[in-house]
Amino acid sequence: EEQLLVLRDGGTVGLDWWGSVPVPTPAGGSIDSRPVALVLPGMANSSLSWYIRRCMERFARAGFRPVALNYRGVEHMPITSARLGCADTWKDLPEVLAAVRAAVGSASARIVAVGFSR
């Protein structure tokens, strides 16, 4: 399930969760305590790419809660700012990590990341 995230500069990225978007508890925690695996596709790829789907499936089987980052303007993502998904997409990571932590309801959520260059 994809969660759209509008960034401070108006750009839009997507967080595509394997399964469904986590729902934090009212106390601010999460029912699901699995660590998060943030999957970063190669340029011009997204969570719709076969190798990203396969990677997310393997993370899920290994006990992680996978989520893939869909970059600005890539595949199905709307272009909502002057910046596109390109070599400087790493600049979006602080906001993306904050959104992942908010989604799982924990500022101290365990997050690992894997990136591809394809």
Side-chain angles (χ1 to χ4, degrees):
E1 182 177 347
E2 189 165 36
Q3 171 187 15
L4 294 182
L5 174 62
V6 178
L7 304 171
R8 284 188 305 250
D9 70 352
T12 303
V13 297
L15 293 174
D16 191 353
W17 293 89
W18 187 263
S20 60
V21 175
V23 179
T25 64
S30 176
I31 297 170
D32 188 342
S33 62
R34 292 178 297 161
V36 174
L38 177 61
V39 181
L40 307 168
M43 299 310 297
N45 287 278
S46 74
S47 63
L48 302 177
S49 301
W50 69 268
Y51 72 97
I52 296 299
R53 301 307 297 169
R54 182 78 172 152
C55 178
M56 292 175 73
E57 175 189 21
R58 287 185 175 215
F59 269 124
R61 283 190 306 192
F64 289 84
R65 187 173 3 178
V67 58
L69 172 60
N70 289 321
Y71 306 114
R72 302 166 181 243
V74 174
E75 295 217 28
H76 60 287
M77 294 304 303
I79 298 172
T80 59
S81 71
R83 270 189 57 224
L84 298 177
C86 61
D88 69 349
T89 56
W90 62 269
K91 292 179 182 178
D92 293 335
L93 284 178
E95 287 182 77
V96 167
L97 290 170
V100 167
R101 287 187 176 101
V104 298
S106 174
S108 61
R110 295 174 297 158
I111 302 172
V112 299
V114 60
F116 291 89
S117 177
R118 182 168 155 74

